[in-house]
Amino acid sequence: MATTTATQSGFLGWVERTGNRLPDPVLLFVYFIAILVAISVVAGLAGWSAPHPAEIDPDTGTNRIVFVESLLSTENLRRLLTEVPETFTSFPPLGFVLVVMLGAGVAERSGLFTTAMHASVANVPRFWLTPAVAFACMMANHAADAAFVVMIPLAAIIYHAAGRHPLVGIAVSFAAVSGAFSANLMPGQLDALLLGITEAAVQTVFGDYVINIAGNWYFIAAMTFAYLPVIWYVTDRVIEPRLGTYDKALRGEAPAEEALDDITPEQKRGMRNAGLVALGLVALWVFLAVGPVAPLVDETAAPEARLNPLYRSLLPFFLLIFLLPGYAYGRAAGTIDNHRDLIAMMAEAMKDMAYYLVLSFVAAHFVAMFAWSNMGIVLAVTGADALKASGLPMWAMLIAILMFGAALNLLIGSASAKWSVLAPVLVPMLMLVGISPEMTTAAYRVGDSATNIITPLMVYFPLILIFCQRWNKHFGLGSLTALMMPYFFGIMAAGIAITITWVVFDIPLGPGVGVFMDIPAATASE
């Protein structure tokens, strides 16, 4: 088979074989914890230390010296064995993600996501087909699994029905859903997940710090508009001419023609009702922010902090913006009969998060133990001093992080698993040179998503290959990688350009969030 040959030679073959030898991310974190313990013991014995960037020793009047502490010390062992529930439940991404998924699960299971994706690309004129599919797929990444399972095979059918090569439809939808995974006009569950990890990373060094869940909003919206013409150009000018005219003789074992089902009147009514409910929620939040009472604005706070209640309220807003329109759609479309169906959908969404709960348990302990050992502070201060001494411009530092994340993604596909390991060092380190945590997160997101479409270790890569083989029975892993490579180069180039532009012109990343920040001032320690 072509697949077998493709996996045994070349760089991508090495990536696939190496990655396949890696254990599950949960077990990886167990290994990381063991390595962290060993390093903390050695570093503690060696007396590794650094001046704390945010605390002053009242006895000397200088920055307090922080030493790496062994995780096998009496105090740390006591913490580890007596604070397990607190360590797990205080992991910031856990609550963020579960809250959003309660609503997103209803929107997905009621059929709202699927119908909205179908309606967004059906009956589009040929010239506008590629940008319409790409835009719909980028918006669909809020639907997570549904975007891969619904949009990609749907795009193949739409392209085939339009007289174009079905593999072109798969290519453009895969590039938009996965290669542009962070791009969207609205924040969603990925923002809650990654920025929650960022918040935990900041707190390991600087104590209490609140991350705005919309802290990358403007940046990811710009990614949408930057990636859209790139995907359009690559699709129509590179991929489609290369694939040529589709030969039906290449179809797999199920050659029957597939057709799109029309959206039913009930589904149309459901879409209308969902839209009205969504508009009502937006109007309610605007009223709560600018109305006569305005509970989402703190008039007593400093000017720069007055909108903090509004930013913090975005988490329940995203819960409701998925939950209530999903319910309204389901009632009209017939997929929800009563409140028990709604509750069952929410429960099913939590079942889908079972693996994430297991991953969060070990990730939470890794992040907590990293903080207990003081390794994060020492590495961040040492790394920040090296960055300052290097003389590198800010944008170059961020591009280095972007490229590192992209390379690591070839072997470890989970965005949250990688960021849980990298953030405790990278985020405080760049804060100490004046780069905001949100900007560091944004740069990581660019690199993390771009290589999704060329690594065989991406969890959906085998599924996409199966979709391709339905239309071309000889299509192999190497064929799919080669098909997606031009998108990778285009998306990566556009992402780098956006990152540099944002840093050079200091463009806001989201409401009240900038690229740069004041380096945290040291305060007297107790």
Side-chain angles (χ1 to χ4, degrees):
M1 293 250 332
T3 304
T4 304
T5 303
T7 59
Q8 291 181 349
S9 61
F11 171 70
L12 290 170
W14 174 83
V15 169
E16 183 185 10
R17 292 191 301 274
T18 303
N20 283 337
R21 296 190 188 105
L22 291 175
D24 186 272
V26 172
L27 192 55
L28 273 179
F29 268 107
V30 174
Y31 293 156
F32 291 152
I33 289 173
I35 294 170
L36 177 63
V37 170
I39 293 176
S40 73
V41 171
V42 173
L45 292 173
W48 291 2
S49 64
H52 197 294
E55 292 185 6
I56 297 294
D57 187 334
D59 295 330
T60 64
T62 59
N63 290 76
R64 181 171 68 87
I65 302 301
V66 177
F67 292 88
V68 173
E69 295 186 10
S70 169
L71 288 169
L72 296 183
S73 67
T74 301
E75 181 182 355
N76 282 330
L77 283 175
R78 183 183 298 117
R79 277 178 171 178
L80 178 63
L81 298 176
T82 62
E83 298 180 9
V84 172
E86 294 85 353
T87 301
F88 181 33
T89 56
S90 62
F91 190 47
L94 183 63
F96 289 177
V97 173
L98 293 182
V99 168
V100 174
M101 283 305 299
L102 279 171
V106 173
E108 178 181 349
R109 286 164 176 78
S110 68
L112 174 59
F113 280 158
T114 301
T115 303
M117 289 185 279
H118 183 169
S120 64
V121 296
N123 303 318
V124 175
R126 180 185 176 94
F127 177 78
W128 296 106
L129 184 57
T130 296
V133 168
F135 182 77
C137 288
M138 283 190 277
M139 296 303 99
N141 64 35
H142 282 329
D145 295 351
F148 289 91
V149 176
V150 175
M151 285 303 291
I152 293 174
L154 177 63
I157 297 169
I158 291 172
Y159 268 73
H160 188 232
R164 301 173 69 173
H165 203 301
L167 292 184
V168 175
I170 290 177
V172 62
S173 56
F174 187 28
V177 167
S178 191
F181 188 61
S182 283
N184 210 292
L185 295 183
M186 290 289 293
Q189 58 217 47
L190 185 63
D191 295 82
L193 174 61
L194 295 181
L195 289 169
I197 294 171
T198 301
E199 180 175 282
V202 177
Q203 291 172 354
T204 62
V205 176
F206 298 105
D208 290 340
Y209 187 92
V210 176
I211 285 284
N212 176 4
I213 192 178
N216 283 169
W217 189 348
Y218 304 158
F219 188 86
I220 63 174
M223 289 170 65
T224 304
F225 293 110
Y227 289 169
L228 187 60
V230 170
I231 294 174
W232 189 359
Y233 178 86
V234 171
T235 301
D236 289 2
R237 297 298 181 90
V238 179
I239 301 301
E240 191 161 22
R242 185 168 142 202
L243 287 174
T245 305
Y246 177 59
D247 182 1
K248 292 184 179 181
L250 295 174
R251 287 194 64 134
E253 296 178 359
E257 294 295 329
E258 300 186 51
L260 293 173
D261 295 329
D262 292 332
I263 297 176
T264 66
E266 292 79 12
Q267 291 172 329
K268 290 180 180 178
R269 185 166 61 252
M271 288 286 292
R272 181 199 64 200
N273 292 352
L276 291 174
V277 170
L279 287 175
L281 280 170
V282 172
L284 173 62
W285 244 254
V286 171
F287 176 78
L288 293 175
V290 302
V293 179
L296 297 184
V297 177
D298 185 359
E299 296 291 350
T300 64
E304 65 274 11
R306 287 177 183 171
L307 292 180
N308 281 348
L310 175 62
Y311 300 149
R312 297 297 287 177
S313 76
L314 290 177
L315 185 62
F317 174 77
F318 290 131
L319 162 66
L320 296 175
I321 204 68
F322 290 131
L323 176 65
L324 297 184
Y327 177 73
Y329 171 87
R331 291 289 291 177
T335 55
I336 296 178
D337 290 331
N338 51 50
H339 70 280
R340 289 184 174 83
D341 291 338
L342 174 68
I343 295 170
M345 289 178 180
M346 298 173 74
E348 287 293 324
M350 291 300 97
K351 288 181 183 178
D352 288 349
M353 299 306 294
Y355 176 81
Y356 175 73
L357 291 174
V358 177
L359 179 63
S360 292
F361 180 80
V362 289
H365 280 82
F366 174 83
V367 172
M369 293 171 73
F370 205 80
W372 299 342
S373 71
N374 290 331
M375 288 282 291
I377 298 175
V378 173
L379 289 175
V381 171
T382 304
D385 289 343
L387 286 175
K388 292 174 183 176
S390 71
L392 286 173
M394 298 288 194
W395 63 263
M397 300 177 192
L398 289 165
I399 296 304
I401 291 173
L402 185 158
M403 298 299 291
F404 179 67
L408 192 59
N409 191 49
L410 291 171
L411 295 174
I412 305 174
S414 171
S416 58
K418 292 192 300 292
W419 193 229
S420 294
V421 174
L422 297 176
V425 174
L426 295 180
V427 171
M429 180 174 70
L430 290 178
M431 287 178 69
L432 292 175
V433 297
I435 296 176
S436 71
E438 293 85 356
M439 185 66 240
T440 305
T441 308
Y444 167 78
R445 295 175 72 169
V446 172
D448 174 70
S449 59
T451 45
N452 279 340
I453 52 178
I454 61 168
T455 173
L457 303 176
M458 202 275 286
V459 64
Y460 285 105
F461 209 83
L463 178 64
I464 308 306
L465 181 60
I466 291 172
F467 290 153
C468 291
Q469 290 173 343
R470 293 172 61 189
W471 299 94
N472 183 343
K473 58 189 175 185
H474 303 301
F475 208 79
L477 189 65
S479 305
L480 179 56
T481 303
L483 180 70
M484 302 309 299
M485 194 65 75
Y487 290 107
F488 159 69
F489 287 119
I491 290 172
M492 180 63 84
I496 290 173
I498 294 170
T499 303
I500 294 175
T501 301
W502 235 259
V503 176
V504 170
F505 293 99
D506 191 14
I507 303 171
L509 291 158
V513 179
V515 172
F516 304 109
M517 63 178 295
D518 294 332
I519 297 174
T523 58
S525 60
E526 297 180 359

